[in-house]
Amino acid sequence: MIKIAIFASGNGTNFEALYGHIKENKLPVTITHLICDQPKAPVIQKALDRGIPVWTHRVKEFENKMVYEQAILDQLKQDGVQMLVLAGYMRIVTNVLLDAYTKLIINIHPALLPSFPGLHGIDDAYAAGVKVTGVTVHYVDSGVDSGPIIAQEPVKILDDETVDHLEARIHEVEHELYFKSFCKVLKSKGWIDA
Ligand code: GAR
């Protein structure tokens, strides 16, 4: 089995979708842990309901962010984790994890990067009045939503659409595109058949 950890900070709809697709498609993948930096986030219950162990701590419990990530890394190494999947994990990753998982950390972002990086990709695109936004899946580097792009899908902003409606449609695209991109990465590593 290919061992992955999913990192999330919030609602966990992408976590839920990935979990569902992995099961449905019988991928040889085990999610060893949900790693969560927000001990009250709804994603935690979603993981527990699916029998996935949760590692949750706030960064401020540790001396600094590197020490926090080292604690995560110790857990990942203990579990034999091969790849990290960020699904709404709202933190910049440091070299502690980047060096241990070079080209093995992926992220999803609700905009067409390099436009509208950061915490509010959907709101920022909407406020800017662009007619097309979308979803990006990319490898993670030390920047904010930067790193080589794996896949993108555009989403047109409809006339008179509310931001909530747009957000719902973007999430729908995310839930499919993340799984497809995840499979593409596994194939590129030769971990599953092409
Ligand atoms: C998703 O839209 C994801 O793309 C975004 O957080 C949301 C998490 O939703 N990530 C970023 O903005 C990264 N900069 P979820 O918790 O329901 O999966």
Side-chain angles (χ1 to χ4, degrees):
M1 293 295 261
I2 302 155
K3 292 185 175 176
I4 68 163
I6 299 184
F7 285 53
S9 305
N11 281 332
T13 66
N14 279 286
F15 167 86
E16 212 172 4
L18 270 171
Y19 175 91
H21 284 310
I22 287 168
K23 288 277 159 221
E24 209 175 291
N25 290 279
K26 299 187 170 55
L27 272 201
V29 169
T30 301
I31 304 168
T32 64
H33 266 93
L34 168 76
I35 307 288
C36 182
D37 61 327
Q38 301 295 334
K40 293 188 173 154
V43 66
I44 291 176
Q45 194 56 48
K46 290 187 168 111
L48 295 175
D49 288 347
R50 289 161 179 79
I52 295 175
V54 175
W55 186 101
T56 183
H57 290 282
R58 291 189 193 280
V59 178
K60 67 181 181 198
E61 292 171 38
F62 299 84
E63 205 177 316
N64 57 47
K65 199 164 163 196
M66 311 273 278
V67 178
Y68 159 80
E69 281 197 0
Q70 187 57 52
I72 294 175
L73 186 57
D74 291 346
Q75 182 65 59
L76 300 176
K77 292 291 170 203
Q78 196 180 313
D79 292 342
V81 169
Q82 293 156 273
M83 181 177 166
L84 314 184
V85 176
L86 313 191
Y89 181 66
M90 298 307 202
R91 291 201 172 270
I92 296 168
V93 174
T94 79
N95 281 340
V96 173
L97 289 174
L98 288 171
D99 291 349
Y101 288 95
T102 306
K103 266 245 163 167
L104 287 167
I105 311 179
I106 62 172
N107 181 44
I108 188 159
H109 184 71
L112 291 180
L113 294 171
S115 295
F116 310 114
L119 297 178
H120 309 290
I122 300 171
D123 289 345
D124 291 348
Y126 186 84
V130 295
K131 298 296 176 202
V132 181
T133 182
V135 175
T136 304
V137 178
H138 63 98
Y139 289 105
V140 172
D141 66 12
S142 57
V144 178
D145 299 315
S146 56
I149 290 173
I150 300 163
Q152 286 188 306
E153 192 164 321
V155 174
K156 277 190 187 167
I157 300 181
L158 309 172
D159 291 343
D160 303 324
E161 180 165 33
T162 63
V163 72
D164 289 347
H165 191 265
L166 173 64
E167 183 172 347
R169 290 198 303 121
I170 288 202
H171 282 314
E172 271 177 36
V173 172
E174 287 191 316
H175 297 162
E176 299 306 313
L177 188 68
Y178 211 7
F179 181 66
K180 275 189 220 154
S181 310
F182 173 64
C183 290
K184 188 172 157 184
V185 173
L186 297 186
K187 282 175 196 163
S188 76
K189 311 266 173 224
W191 292 349
I192 60 172
D193 291 338

